Amino acid sequence: MHSSEVEHIVYPDDCDAFGHLNQAAFLRIFERARWDIMARGPGMDVFERTGAWPAVRKTVIDYLAPAFPGDRLRVQHSVVHLGFTSFTMRQTARRAPDDTLIATAEFVFVCIDRQGRPIPVPAEVGEFFQARPSGETVESIAVNGVQLSVEQRGAGTGPPVLFVHGFPLDRTIWEHQLDNLTGFHCIAPDLRGMGSSEAPDLGYSMSTYAEDLVGILDSLGLSRVVLCGLSMGGYIAFEFLRRWRERVLGLILMDTRAEADSAEGKKAREGLIARVREQGPIAAAEAMLPRFFTAQVSPEIIERVRTSIMRAPVAGLVGALTAMRERPDSTALLPTLTGIPTLVMAGAEDMITPPSLAQSMATLIPGARLMEIPAAGHLPCVEQPVATTRAMLKFLQGIRS
Ligand code: MLT
């Protein structure tokens, strides 16, 4: 992923009558930053030269904090999806020097010719942005009427492992595992409504998420996978197992639970749905971040996860909360999972799905192994990536042999 930075000073004429950096000015600031980046790379005239004009098809901006005349903003960008005719750029504006996140934005561009027909993204632009770790591909796959972003590593090298993230996150929580589980075909989608996948207004349920996963596997030509789900990803894995257990080669359940929401839990979902509708992703960040990690976690990790939550579209967050509220109890499924090698993992200090839940699941699933990751909360793959990847590798090697 290519990343770079441009500085912008807030001028009085960027501001509204109250002296705040005006919401409309962000479009100009982000646009100027993009041109600066192009000037540093293939040149500002690259689109003129190649006859492919990048038309903005969709813009989503989250305004998070005010800025004032004289503030220095650091505008960062990364291309999070590079397709054949389209690309998606994510930009963030932070105030220097205190690093406050002021706004995040995502722009989807489609390259068009002079007649307005979509044409390929110019190779020079593609090359400039395609500075990705070798072997990584992120593609947009059309499944059940939505475009889902799916990252893959090591295709063809070994058994496929499908990573399913939790709420309100995206596939980036698996970064360390994807980078280090060499010898396995790692597949990590952004679920519908999360990360850079499309976020339809309606149509969220554990069934739909599971159908999306099967659609991804079908489109990649994969019949069986090791299924690895974290928290909400585990709820989806249970639904997948109910319907397609013959496609599950092995199972990793990480910091999840088999039980449905209690009456109190459902009420809490309702409260968060209302706050997310009113305030946007910041409500989800405020609800989840304080409970995700141990007290020892580094501020950089919190910031990284916060940034990914702040990118989540409201429709996707509300959809996921509704789907979790409606999910069935999966406890009765566990004793039926005979013959599926299973690893149940939990951060030893997880306060959302405490290790006692992992212990009960491991007791109920025939032959399941249990692994607690010390000094980790709800996201051991992020907070203790080395220990988590090592435990997963040992389990996956057992499946391969
Ligand atoms: C998750 O990490 O996916 C959530 O904590 C799940 C939940 O809220 O039940």
Side-chain angles (χ1 to χ4, degrees):
M1 203 171 291
H2 182 91
S3 192
S4 193
E5 192 169 297
V6 171
E7 202 169 272
H8 176 88
I9 309 267
V10 178
Y11 294 106
D13 66 352
D14 289 327
C15 297
D16 60 22
F18 302 99
H20 298 104
L21 176 55
N22 182 252
Q23 48 88 18
F26 279 93
L27 286 176
R28 196 172 60 230
I29 292 169
F30 282 133
E31 168 136 15
R32 284 198 180 149
R34 291 197 298 272
W35 282 117
D36 266 13
I37 294 299
M38 296 314 289
R40 292 180 201 175
M44 277 192 187
D45 61 343
V46 63
F47 294 108
E48 262 329 295
R49 277 191 273 117
T50 54
W53 194 250
V56 175
R57 186 177 158 268
K58 181 173 170 185
T59 301
V60 179
I61 302 190
D62 279 312
Y63 301 100
L64 304 169
F68 304 96
D71 279 351
R72 244 176 341 107
L73 301 185
R74 291 191 294 113
V75 182
Q76 295 178 324
H77 82 280
S78 60
V79 166
V80 291
H81 168 67
L82 183 56
F84 187 57
T85 59
S86 69
F87 60 98
T88 304
M89 186 174 287
R90 201 167 273 157
Q91 292 181 279
T92 57
R94 288 171 186 279
R95 186 168 45 223
D98 64 6
D99 216 32
T100 304
L101 191 58
I102 304 294
T104 65
E106 200 160 292
F107 299 89
V108 179
F109 296 90
V110 178
C111 289
I112 53 172
D113 65 14
R114 286 185 197 283
Q115 280 71 46
R117 291 173 302 222
I119 51 171
V121 178
E124 286 171 78
V125 175
E127 277 156 25
F128 179 56
F129 287 124
Q130 208 147 25
R132 293 182 170 136
S134 69
E136 172 194 335
T137 60
V138 181
E139 56 184 313
S140 179
I141 299 183
V143 178
N144 299 329
V146 287
Q147 292 292 135
L148 300 179
S149 292
V150 181
E151 180 167 349
Q152 291 186 77
R153 304 283 178 88
T157 57
V161 186
L162 179 60
F163 292 86
V164 190
H165 62 78
F167 170 87
L169 306 161
D170 61 28
R171 67 173 196 278
T172 58
I173 62 163
W174 304 114
E175 189 179 330
H176 189 274
Q177 290 70 45
L178 266 57
D179 281 346
N180 292 283
L181 288 173
T182 44
F184 294 89
H185 178 183
C186 298
I187 306 136
D190 283 337
L191 294 169
R192 61 168 60 209
M194 313 241 186
S196 48
S197 287
E198 261 181 2
D201 287 334
L202 299 170
Y204 296 86
S205 64
M206 291 306 148
S207 286
T208 321
Y209 291 126
E211 284 158 14
D212 288 350
L213 296 183
V214 145
I216 292 169
L217 297 186
D218 289 344
S219 117
L220 298 176
L222 299 170
S223 53
R224 301 185 78 203
V225 287
V226 178
L227 194 51
C228 169
L230 181 136
S231 201
M232 184 177 96
Y235 312 157
I236 300 169
F238 294 138
E239 184 63 26
F240 190 103
L241 283 156
R242 267 191 284 277
R243 297 171 65 184
W244 296 284
R245 73 168 280 164
E246 71 288 355
R247 298 187 71 161
V248 181
L249 198 59
L251 179 64
I252 301 176
L253 295 171
M254 196 179 290
D255 297 81
T256 190
R257 69 173 80 222
E259 296 79 16
D261 277 359
S262 63
E264 199 187 326
K266 285 184 202 277
K267 228 168 132 198
R269 300 277 189 218
E270 284 307 322
L272 187 51
I273 288 172
R275 294 201 301 284
V276 166
R277 283 212 169 103
E278 207 176 292
Q279 303 160 18
I282 193 148
E286 279 172 2
M288 304 306 288
L289 277 174
R291 299 188 298 143
F292 268 166
F293 301 108
T294 66
Q296 288 71 42
V297 70
S298 72
E300 291 74 32
I301 289 183
I302 300 179
E303 190 48 36
R304 187 147 52 87
V305 173
R306 181 198 304 280
T307 304
S308 76
I309 298 176
M310 295 309 297
R311 296 193 288 247
V314 167
L317 295 172
V318 170
L321 286 161
T322 311
M324 289 194 285
R325 186 193 60 195
E326 299 305 319
R327 76 184 189 281
D329 192 301
S330 297
T331 314
L333 175 77
L334 304 182
T336 72
L337 299 178
T338 318
I340 300 179
T342 300
L343 174 65
V344 183
M345 302 181 74
E349 297 175 47
D350 183 351
M351 53 183 121
I352 297 180
T353 44
S356 57
L357 292 173
Q359 282 153 18
S360 333
M361 285 193 293
T363 310
L364 287 172
I365 302 173
R369 261 175 274 167
L370 176 67
M371 167 65 80
E372 271 186 30
I373 304 291
H378 190 57
L379 308 180
C381 49
V382 175
E383 190 169 2
Q384 293 298 340
V386 176
T388 304
T389 305
R390 193 177 296 136
M392 292 173 81
L393 183 61
K394 196 163 165 226
F395 172 74
L396 290 169
Q397 280 166 341
I399 289 187
R400 183 167 40 200
S401 61

